[in-house]
Structures are given as structure tokens and as C-alpha cells.
Amino acid sequence: MENSFDPHDIEQPLYTKWEQAGHFAPTGNGVPYCIMIPPPNVTGSLHMGHAFQHTLMDTLIRHARMKGRRTLWQMGTDHAGIATQMLVERKLAAEGIDKHAIGREAFVERVWEWKRESGGQISQQLRRMGSSLDWSRDRFTMDEGFSRAVREVFVRLHEDGLIYRGQRLVNWDPQLQSAISDLEVESEEESGHLWHLRYALVGGARTTGGKDHLVVATTRPETMLGDTAVAVHPDDARYRDLIGQSVQLPLTDRQIPIIADTYVDPAFGTGCLKITPAHDFNDNEIGTRHGLPLVNVFTPDAHLNDNAPAAYRGLDRFAARKRIVADLTSLGLVEKIQDHKLMVPRGDRSGAVIEPYLTDQWYVAMDELAAPAIEAVRNGDIEFVPKQYENLYFAWMRDIRDWCISRQQWWGHRIPAWYDDTGQVYVGRDEAEIRAKHGLSKTVVLTQDPDVLETWFSSALWTFGTLGWPDETPELELYHPTDVLVTGHDIIFFWVARMIMMTLRFVGEVPFRKVYIHGLVKDSEGQKMSKSRGNGLDPLDLIDGIDLPSLIAKRTDDLMQPQMAARITKATQRDFGSGIPSFGTDALRFTYCALASTGRDVRFDMKRIEGYRNFCNKLWNATKFVLMNTESVELGGPRELSLVDRWIESRARRMIVDAERATATFRFDLLASVLYDFVWHEYCDWYLELTKPVLWDEGASVAAQTGTRTQLLRILEIALRAAHPVIPYITEALWHRVAPLTGAAGETIMIQPYPEADDLAADADAEAAVEWLKTIVIGVRNIRGEMNIKPGQAIPLLLQGGTSDDARWLEASRSLLGRLAKIERIDWLDADASAPPAAMQLAGELKLFVPLAGLIDVAAERSRLDKEIARKVTDLERIEQKLGNQSFVAKAPEDVVAKERARAGEARAAVAMLRQQLTDLENI
RNA sequence: AGGCGCGUAGCUCAGUUGGUUAGAGCACCACCUUGACAUGGUGGGGGUCGGAGGUUCGAAUCCUCUCGCGCCUACCA
């Protein structure tokens, strides 16, 4: 074997082998276990967040498969409507092509081309991550079967009266020229102004203060052209008299009424609120209450339309704002302009400022869908991990609003609705069904609704649409409800909630029993990784490595804001001065698991992955050691397990118990640490070292050596299986070398059973003995280290006092001690004998002496003892104080008090012995 | 404005139902190329657990208040 582990030699061939052998598809007759992949968008390549998520899912899947479950990890991708359409539009624009020039059909064909390319890239990346997805069932949210499910759901909801078409204000993206849902609007605080505008009172009316005008304050002066009222609070004494009167709307020939509504806050501004029902959600509600007309002054691309006075028609909304403010200023109608912070709504895809805009759209009525979905979580049918996300879910669900599902886009599921010449709408699975159902003759021309459904409408059907619904398939019967959904908290509303609602409605059962919410992957400074920040990492670059120039090129290529390039280059040089070395998939996966603590975002730290690459190397070299000592040796004869052999087995048992618990509770971080600790700190640091004296002792019995050799193999083989779900490649590679020697050979580790704790013997006695041994070794090493005794220098050890256990354990491990602490000889001192000048360590009641002769600096030993005494005295004082507290003795449980008493005794004895030693030393 | 989360060693994070001296990795210091591994070994230093108050025999852990950071939701024009 090579001296260090090189992931490249093994990863891809192993994956290919697994895939070709069909190991990713469900097999056997075990209890089904199913996870649906959150379908990645076909917008490009996978990022760190995907790789993180896929690692966690694959870990669960591989574990379940090894536990004998009939395991399906469903593969698929999402058409990602707007995102994909924008991406392809941009690509076409780069070729100088406008989508309108080539037309809808050709455009959609171009998107399909892109989808094929992008989908291939995604599956390649997933394969590199080691993801054991069932590729044979790969689905796409716009494939034929899925499209059928989408139409079916739409039609049924429409029949049930839960889908309707309505004209109301929507969030309109003037750049996309499409409606978007509430969730797709992101509001951020931006600096703006508050314009105070004078609206003249009509008919000589006066305010209480004697003014002949009202002053309204607005952040959006351009919408004033659509005002249809001014509202005041009904109890506002300043204006009560004016209710029912009118004002002259400036720049127009319209007069609008002064109305009273309790929505108005008299304390804000002047207490007068301009009402623009066609361009503001709150105003719209007020308008409805008061029967106000809606005056829409915008075109779909947010230019002023013909409802505006001629002077402003055709102006863009921002240009119109400037012109209107200028005109009002010159008319003396601007009272003042204040700086003002306001929340500006922007489209999450386009970044354009969203307009509340009056259009006809399709909606899903949510109340009836939401109620059972709330109940399913409330009663525990679905459980969120971590639990606190349930509150987030409830809060949103209880306040849910109807869902606008139509998009004025080309890429997506066409809405299954048709119109005749008169505008009459028909909804059905296809045109033929509609004609038949409504008895429409061939002469009636039907035109399909040009709009598409928003992406999340189809994603909401993911768990059952992929399994063949609306047909009653065996897969649906077998794998649904799925076991767990693994996803990020950013899409709980977008996706998780809607899946729960749709699945309960159409399948009558929950889509999944658990929802594991993981954190988002951030960079080492806690910043979100994104293309525009230039701080993203490609998981493949961590696996394969990348040089600095390539990384910079990747990060600065094709930026939306090219001026960022210089800054990104600098930051990249700072963080990755010599590029990124190749770490391999297993190290990356282990890192993801180790970082996946509950409810926390993940800061990706290069130091961590480095450490876990080292861990893989450690495992590799441990295996190398074991093979060196077991290959070409006869292992068939009688075998005898030593104390140490039984100890590691007992520890392995604990490790399996802990690993199972961590996996069952989605504590991937604990799983990683359990594996790490066992392999490194128990198996390598102690077990391997403790086997050397046996393996290399010519006097050792063959049975003892055979026992140790077979145990080395057996425990390693178990550790490999235990770790396989996290680090599949290296464990598979090593397993093929190790397993044959244990007689446990098979085609692949991935379908071997997961280790069972009950197959390993617990041995409390062996654990206590080795624990003792470790204490002694560490005690002697401490003297060595602190006294600067050369590692090569063998030292004698004297023992005094101690219990019968001490004596027994010493005899059981005398030769091991010699080897591990480089002790040349061990002798007992009589209880009353005085020790020669020596450095002393306590191990309970046992005194360890390393004689000074020629080795030890007396002054150094004194200060070492001083330090130790100080430590023990502090300890003792604390305990005595506790025991001196009457209420502690009276109220604390007996065993706790007893424990403290024992500790006090121990500490007192230790202090006495250490002080005596110090005195002895001073007398030299 | 409301809700949620976080604050523990220089850094990134664990810390189960309150109960020995609060842990790990990395970083740091010293020593070591010993026959699995220098991607290594051995030893060591480093934290009054954001702050204040409270409950309790006992608090990193439970309660109240408070400061700082992050996220989500809703917004006064």
C-alpha cells in the first residue's frame, strides 16, 4: 500500500462499479425507506449547499440500506421556471437573439436544449459526491408523467372550487412582466424621500387651522396620478369637518373625495393619507371598503399609461417621479421633502422594484388546504427537526394568503385552461376533454391560456408525482409517505408547506414523516456564498483541487457586476494564496457531517477539511499497519483474546451504539465525532500501540498473537462499515483488503449489514483495566515531558502503595507499560520503604516514582510538584466547602454526597503525599 | 414592530434529563524523522461559558431583565 491515501485512484472507478452493479436501486424485501431529493434547479451546476445536503441524505440512505431497508433515494431535477427562463434569455442575448424574435416555440426548444446540458452536468456532480441515487428512476418536473400529475391537480382543485381566476392587485415584476407570489418578493430597507404635497380643498373649504389645502405625505409621488381619495382618521379633530368634501388632485382635472378610515394614523405626518387603490395593497383595501374607483396609471413595464395626463404618458416610473416632483415644485405644491428610510420590495430573481398591479391571475384558495396541513404537524404526523421550525411553519400557515400561481412566462407548465371567442374559460385535462364535456362544436375556436404555472406548484407534487401518481402504482404504495425530507430553512414556505398541503389533499397522507432542516453553507466569515460576492466554492474544486489563477477566473467570469472583479481577485488571493489542494470526496463529506450541528448555519472552514483529509489518511495507514501484520500470516489456529483485545471490542460496541443514536437523531456532527474519536483516539492511538508488544514479542504465544491479529482485523472491518455511510469511497477500498481476512468478503461494503452493537461483547473489566493502564502511561509520559527526559531514554519505574486492583492490573499489563512508556524495569517498593530521590506521580492511591539519578532536575521536579499541589489544594478546598454546607449534605442526593466525600478523601491523601514528596526532595 | 436562533479557549464548534477539575479540532509552545501514518507522535499552555439579577444544596444548562450579532415575518403612507 502507498504511504498516504490518494482519493483519485479509487473514487470514480468505485462509483462506476456500484452504479453498473445496480446497487443504488432498492432491493430486497425489507421495510421501505425513502428520501426524495429536493430536485436541483436545472439552472447550472451544484453549489456547496447542494453538496452539503446531498452528503447528509446519502449518509442516511447508505445507513438505511446497510440496515436492510428497501431503500430508495429518488433522483430528479426541477425546471425552475423563471430562473431557467432568465438564464436562457441571457444566453440568447449574448448571441444577439431576442426571445420575441424567435417566438415561443423556438425559445422553449432552446430551454430544453439547455436543460439536457445542465441536467447532465448536475448528475455528473452528484456522482462525484458519491450520492447513491437511483438513477434509473430519474424524473424531471416537466417530464410527461409529471406534467400529467400537474394538470390533474389543477383540474381537480378547479373542480373543487379551490382554484379560481381573479382580478386583483398582484406583485408585478415590470422587468419580467409577470406576476410573482408574495414569497418571491424580498423587501430591503433603502434610502428614499418623503414628499409632502399640497392638495387644494375644493369649494372654499378650510381646515381647522385655516388652511385651504391638505398636505399628504408619500414616498411614491408618481402614483398620485392614480389617487382616488384622501383619507383621514374619523376622530381627527383637525379634519373631521372636511370629511365628505373634496380636494383637487394636482396635475389632473380630477377632484377626489376626503374620506374617513380608521386605518389612518393621525400621528404620522399630517394625518392625511392619499389613497391609490390601483397601486398599493393597503390603499386597495381602503378603496374596496369605500367603493373607490381604481385608476391604473401604469403599463405592464411600469411606464405611465393613457390614464395619466398627456404630459406624463410613456414616461418610465422613475422618470415620471422626477417630472412630477419638478412640476409640483414649480406650482408651489411641495411643502417639504424629508429623507426617509423605506422598505423597497424587489423581485427575488430580477431585482426589479415590484409594483402592486392590477391583473387577471389564477389563484389557489389556501384556507381549506392549510387546515389539515397545520393539523398534521400539530398532531405529530410530521415532525420537524429541529423542532422550533414548527413554530415558523405554524405562523406562516395560520396567516396564509391565497396563492397566485400564474406566471406570464414561456417556460413551465402551461395552464390547462382554454378560452373561446367570448372570453368564456374552460378548465380541463386537454382540449378534447373540454369539448366533450361542454359539448363544444368544432367551429368553436379554443385558445389555451398563454400563462404557465409557477415552479413551486409542480414542486409541491414531488413526493407523489415521482412515484407515478395519479396512477395507483406499486411504488406509491411502497415508498409513500417517504421517511424524511432533508432541506434548508429557506424553502420551508416555498416548498415544504406546499408539499404538505398538496400531498394531504391528493394522496390523503403526509408526504414525509420527518423534515430535517439543515443550515445554510456560508463562507469562513459567515457570509452567504454567491456568485455576485465571488466567495463561492465549487465542491468539485475541493475534491479535485484547483490552482489560484483558475479559481480567480472562475469567480470573476461572467459577473453581473464586472466592477467587483478586482475586489474578488484580491480576496481570493488572500484566502487561497496557493489555490486549493485536492482533498477528495470522503474528506469533503466528513467535513459536511462534522459541521452539521442542529439549527446552525455552516461556516465552511478550509482547516476543517484539511483535518478530515488527515483523518482519512489515518484510517488508510491504520489499515496498512493491520494488513502488514495479518496478511501472509496463518490466522486459522486457536486464538486467545487479551484484556486489550476485549477492551477495544467493548469500546467498539459503544461506538456503534453512539453512531446509531447520532444517525437516528440526525446529529451528523456527533456521528462524525464518534467515528473520528474511535478510529483515531482509541483504535490508532491506543489499540494499535498496545498490539505492537504482542505482535513483536517472540515469546508471545501463537494463540495470543492470533487473537490480537484477528481482533485487529475484526474491529477495523466493523469500523469501516460503521463509517461507510459518511466516507463511502475509502471504506469500500479498504474493506476489500480487510474483509477477506475476516472471512466476511462480499461484492461491496455498501450492501453489507451495518454493524450491530449486540455482536460485540461489553467488557467492563477490560475497560477498567485499560483505563488504568492509560492513566499509568500518561502519568509516566507527563514526568518525561515535563522533566525533558529524552524520548529515547529508557527509565526505571518504582511503584508504591495502591490497591489490590493496582497490583492485579500491573501484572496484567507489565510488558505493555514497558513498551508504551519506554520503561526499562518496574519494581515495587514496600509500603514503609522510603523512595530514592525521584519524580512522583499519583494514580489514585498508587505512587509512581521515576528515580532522579542522572535524569532529573530537582528544581524542575519541585516546581512540577508545586503546580500539582496547588491544583489539588484548590480542588480540595472547593469540595470541603461543599461538604461544609449543611444544606448540601441534607438536600443533595446521597450518592452525590458520597461521591463528594470520596473525592475529598482522595484529594486530601493526594495533597499529603505530594507534600511529603516535596519535603523529601528538599532534604536531598 | 413581532417571532426565532446564536453569543463557551486565539478561530470553528460540542456540551443529553441541572451534579467530579467545562470538552474537541485547528492554531500556539516544547520535545521527537521509533519499524502504519510528519496528512505523524508525546507533553504543555489557554476559557470566572456576553452582562446583571433570580430559583436551587448545586447553574454553561432553568427563569427574568439586558447588551451584541444573524435570520424570518409584517409594516406608517
Side-chain angles (χ1 to χ4, degrees):
Chain A
M1 276 174 87
E2 299 300 321
N3 249 3
S4 59
F5 166 54
D6 183 359
H8 288 98
D9 301 343
I10 62 168
E11 292 182 358
Q12 272 157 305
L14 283 178
Y15 194 91
T16 306
K17 206 182 88 182
W18 289 331
E19 189 176 352
Q20 284 172 353
H23 292 315
F24 300 151
T27 52
N29 293 307
V31 180
Y33 182 90
C34 179
I35 296 178
M36 296 284 167
I37 194 171
N41 291 349
V42 290
T43 44
S45 59
L46 301 181
H47 53 63
M48 291 289 279
H50 289 115
F52 175 47
Q53 184 176 67
H54 298 147
T55 296
L56 303 185
M57 280 186 278
D58 196 46
T59 298
L60 293 172
I61 285 288
R62 285 180 184 270
H63 177 263
R65 195 182 285 121
M66 292 176 81
K67 292 297 275 187
R69 304 284 295 269
R70 195 192 300 195
T71 303
L72 169 62
W73 187 11
Q74 174 68 48
M75 174 54 197
T77 46
D78 196 302
H79 69 280
I82 292 177
T84 312
Q85 172 157 343
M86 281 180 65
L87 190 138
V88 174
E89 278 175 17
R90 198 151 162 253
K91 287 199 173 293
L92 288 178
E95 300 171 34
I97 301 172
D98 178 69
K99 71 172 172 182
H100 296 288
I102 61 172
R104 181 165 186 159
E105 206 174 316
F107 177 79
V108 167
E109 185 40 49
R110 290 297 293 259
V111 185
W112 276 105
E113 270 173 40
W114 163 258
K115 183 263 162 188
R116 283 185 281 272
E117 189 185 318
S118 167
Q121 201 180 335
I122 288 169
S123 47
Q124 269 325 105
Q125 280 179 304
L126 277 162
R127 285 177 164 90
R128 287 304 310 279
M129 289 304 297
S131 309
S132 56
L133 285 149
D134 186 354
W135 296 103
S136 69
R137 289 169 209 251
D138 190 5
R139 295 299 297 271
F140 179 53
T141 52
M142 270 175 60
D143 66 30
E144 216 179 294
F146 214 88
S147 300
R148 185 172 148 236
V150 169
R151 285 193 300 272
E152 187 67 26
V153 165
F154 188 98
V155 171
R156 287 199 206 171
L157 284 174
H158 183 260
E159 284 168 358
D160 295 343
L162 296 184
I163 280 186
Y164 63 93
R165 189 167 166 78
Q167 188 181 60
R168 49 170 81 175
L169 284 191
V170 291
N171 296 296
W172 182 261
D173 187 322
Q175 187 177 319
L176 298 171
Q177 295 198 39
S178 173
I180 59 176
S181 78
D182 300 334
L183 290 178
E184 292 165 291
V185 178
E186 289 177 346
S187 292
E188 278 211 60
E189 190 173 89
E190 294 180 19
S191 295
H193 301 283
L194 195 55
W195 285 272
H196 293 249
L197 309 178
R198 290 180 183 149
Y199 287 11
L201 289 159
V202 175
R206 300 260 161 184
T207 66
T208 309
K211 303 259 175 66
D212 62 355
H213 57 267
L214 292 180
V215 177
V216 298
T218 180
T219 55
R220 301 203 54 200
E222 68 279 11
T223 64
M224 63 146 303
L225 299 175
D227 286 0
T228 55
V230 170
V232 297
H233 194 279
D235 302 333
D236 193 332
R238 293 170 295 178
Y239 309 116
R240 202 162 26 204
D241 296 346
L242 297 172
I243 295 164
Q245 308 266 354
S246 296
V247 292
Q248 176 65 42
L249 187 62
L251 308 178
T252 72
D253 54 9
R254 290 196 287 122
Q255 296 186 347
I256 56 175
I258 298 166
I259 61 169
D261 197 288
T262 51
Y263 172 81
V264 180
D265 176 3
F268 187 92
T270 58
C272 298
L273 175 62
K274 73 192 249 328
I275 305 295
T276 322
H279 296 288
D280 182 283
F281 289 104
N282 290 316
D283 290 6
N284 188 264
E285 281 180 30
I286 294 170
T288 306
R289 280 202 286 276
H290 295 269
L292 298 174
L294 282 74
V295 177
N296 171 23
V297 295
F298 285 149
T299 60
D301 60 350
H303 287 57
L304 291 187
N305 67 15
D306 291 351
N307 288 331
Y312 307 106
R313 285 175 201 163
L315 286 177
D316 168 77
R317 52 187 163 163
F318 300 112
R321 175 181 298 180
K322 275 188 188 149
R323 177 79 64 83
I324 286 169
V325 169
D327 289 351
L328 289 171
T329 305
S330 58
L331 289 170
L333 296 179
V334 177
E335 181 147 311
K336 61 175 169 179
I337 304 173
Q338 292 175 305
D339 288 339
H340 186 70
K341 297 263 187 238
L342 71 162
M343 297 298 278
V344 177
R346 290 180 181 276
D348 64 353
R349 293 290 169 189
S350 68
V353 175
I354 297 304
E355 288 292 340
Y357 195 61
L358 197 61
T359 56
D360 288 304
Q361 301 290 344
W362 290 93
Y363 292 89
V364 181
M366 300 306 279
D367 289 346
E368 192 177 326
L369 293 170
I374 291 170
E375 177 57 17
V377 174
R378 200 201 56 76
N379 70 16
D381 288 351
I382 299 174
E383 208 178 310
F384 280 71
V385 180
K387 196 110 185 140
Q388 70 260 21
Y389 285 109
E390 291 181 3
N391 290 329
L392 191 67
Y393 171 82
F394 289 137
W396 188 70
M397 291 291 280
R398 278 198 279 259
D399 207 21
I400 198 162
R401 283 178 275 178
D402 285 359
W403 176 18
C404 175
I405 51 171
S406 44
R407 296 290 180 273
Q408 289 63 55
Q409 298 273 303
W410 286 354
W411 173 244
H413 292 284
R414 194 82 175 258
I415 289 174
W418 281 260
Y419 304 89
D420 63 19
D421 293 343
T422 69
Q424 171 73 36
V425 61
Y426 306 94
V427 169
R429 288 161 188 82
D430 54 41
E431 202 177 320
E433 182 191 276
I434 287 167
R435 286 185 186 277
K437 187 175 170 191
H438 297 277
L440 301 176
S441 74
K442 280 180 189 164
T443 57
V444 177
V445 177
L446 290 178
T447 314
Q448 188 172 5
D449 194 313
D451 292 350
V452 299
L453 290 165
E454 91 141 306
T455 300
W456 298 105
F457 187 88
S458 53
S459 318
L461 320 182
W462 190 242
T463 64
F464 56 99
T466 47
L467 296 175
W469 190 91
D471 294 335
E472 286 175 21
T473 61
E475 286 85 357
L476 203 53
E477 176 64 29
L478 211 50
Y479 298 111
H480 204 280
T482 65
D483 288 81
V484 56
L485 178 75
V486 176
T487 193
H489 55 73
D490 51 335
I491 56 175
I492 291 177
F493 305 147
F494 280 107
W495 192 44
V496 181
R498 288 161 176 172
M499 257 198 289
I500 295 173
M501 290 188 278
M502 289 299 201
T503 312
L504 283 167
R505 179 86 185 180
F506 290 98
V507 189
E509 56 189 30
V510 297
F512 27 71
R513 302 186 192 286
K514 295 195 172 179
V515 183
Y516 172 72
I517 304 288
H518 61 247
L520 273 25
V521 180
K522 309 285 188 67
D523 71 7
S524 60
E525 264 127 54
Q527 293 292 311
K528 197 172 163 185
M529 286 189 181
S530 69
K531 176 73 190 165
S532 59
R533 282 192 182 83
N535 61 351
L537 287 170
D538 182 339
L540 289 188
D541 292 339
L542 290 164
I543 294 173
D544 295 332
I546 186 169
D547 58 50
L548 184 62
S550 309
L551 181 60
I552 290 173
K554 216 167 168 171
R555 285 180 159 191
T556 53
D557 173 52
D558 198 24
L559 285 173
M560 289 274 199
Q561 298 172 283
Q563 69 274 18
M564 290 290 291
R567 192 185 303 173
I568 292 171
T569 301
K570 216 170 150 190
T572 304
Q573 281 165 340
R574 183 194 64 209
D575 298 339
F576 302 96
S578 42
I580 298 174
S582 150
F583 292 110
T585 301
D586 290 321
L588 179 60
R589 290 175 58 121
F590 204 96
T591 308
Y592 283 134
C593 283
L595 292 173
S597 8
T598 45
R600 238 184 217 271
D601 284 345
V602 170
R603 286 196 191 199
F604 196 87
D605 181 0
M606 296 300 288
K607 287 291 178 193
R608 292 293 284 263
I609 191 172
E610 207 174 302
Y612 296 127
R613 175 209 49 196
N614 296 353
F615 173 75
C616 291
N617 189 53
K618 190 79 178 172
L619 187 57
W620 178 269
N621 276 288
T623 303
K624 191 173 118 185
F625 171 85
V626 172
L627 293 174
M628 279 170 55
N629 286 285
T630 52
E631 279 177 332
S632 62
V633 179
E634 175 54 48
L635 297 170
R639 55 182 226 133
E640 187 182 289
L641 292 186
S642 70
L643 197 66
V644 172
D645 296 329
R646 284 182 279 127
W647 163 78
I648 194 67
E649 179 165 341
S650 195
R651 299 304 299 174
R653 179 188 166 93
R654 279 178 202 276
M655 180 270 286
I656 298 301
V657 169
D658 292 345
E660 287 285 14
R661 185 172 41 222
T663 306
T665 54
F666 305 101
R667 288 301 305 268
F668 301 95
D669 57 331
L670 297 184
L671 175 62
S673 110
V674 162
L675 295 169
Y676 187 100
D677 271 345
F678 180 77
V679 168
W680 201 310
H681 297 310
E682 305 212 72
Y683 192 82
C684 292
D685 283 353
W686 290 99
Y687 187 53
L688 290 191
E689 295 306 321
L690 286 164
T691 62
K692 287 175 183 174
V694 178
L695 297 178
W696 298 345
D697 178 5
E698 287 169 12
S701 79
V702 175
Q705 289 192 326
T706 304
T708 294
R709 288 194 170 108
T710 52
Q711 192 75 328
L712 274 168
L713 285 164
R714 176 164 167 249
I715 301 300
L716 176 60
E717 194 270 339
I718 284 167
L720 291 172
R721 278 188 281 139
H724 178 260
V726 181
I727 43 175
Y729 289 121
I730 187 173
T731 50
E732 173 80 314
L734 296 177
W735 188 80
H736 281 285
R737 304 287 301 271
V738 173
L741 298 169
T742 67
E747 191 194 332
T748 168
I749 191 175
M750 69 175 280
I751 51 172
Q752 294 297 308
Y754 200 75
E756 291 289 338
D758 286 345
D759 293 341
L760 294 156
D763 192 329
D765 199 51
E767 290 206 34
V770 172
E771 220 31 67
W772 178 87
L773 168 66
K774 284 163 75 172
T775 309
I776 305 304
V777 169
I778 289 168
V780 174
R781 280 178 183 168
N782 175 266
I783 291 175
R784 229 180 225 295
E786 294 274 282
M787 295 294 103
N788 273 321
I789 300 172
K790 293 283 173 213
Q793 169 103 49
I795 53 176
L797 178 66
L798 295 171
L799 301 177
Q800 190 178 41
T803 62
S804 57
D805 277 341
D806 289 327
R808 186 164 59 86
W809 285 331
L810 173 71
E811 289 324 308
S813 50
R814 187 179 270 271
S815 63
L816 297 175
L817 275 175
R819 156 86 198 184
L820 261 69
K822 198 141 177 96
I823 297 165
E824 60 185 1
R825 51 177 300 164
I826 302 174
D827 295 304
W828 282 98
L829 274 179
D830 289 338
D832 50 357
S834 56
M840 185 186 80
Q841 265 286 344
L842 293 174
E845 292 171 41
L846 182 68
K847 294 181 193 171
L848 314 178
F849 293 102
V850 175
L852 289 168
L855 290 175
I856 288 173
D857 175 356
V858 176
E861 173 61 6
R862 271 200 214 108
S863 78
R864 199 181 66 87
L865 285 172
D866 279 334
K867 202 164 70 177
E868 192 60 25
I869 290 167
R871 211 177 282 167
K872 287 283 179 197
V873 166
T874 319
D875 207 18
L876 181 60
E877 281 167 357
R878 192 178 300 135
I879 302 165
E880 281 179 336
Q881 199 182 352
K882 229 179 197 179
L883 288 168
N885 181 343
Q886 283 311 308
S887 42
F888 171 73
V889 180
K891 294 186 183 173
E894 258 176 65
D895 59 320
V896 173
V897 177
K899 218 186 277 176
E900 290 299 318
R901 289 215 169 97
R903 284 185 56 221
E906 252 168 62
R908 214 169 285 127
V911 169
M913 288 190 280
L914 289 163
R915 285 206 170 121
Q916 181 60 47
Q917 178 65 12
L918 194 58
T919 313
D920 291 351
L921 221 50
E922 269 156 9
N923 292 337
I924 298 174

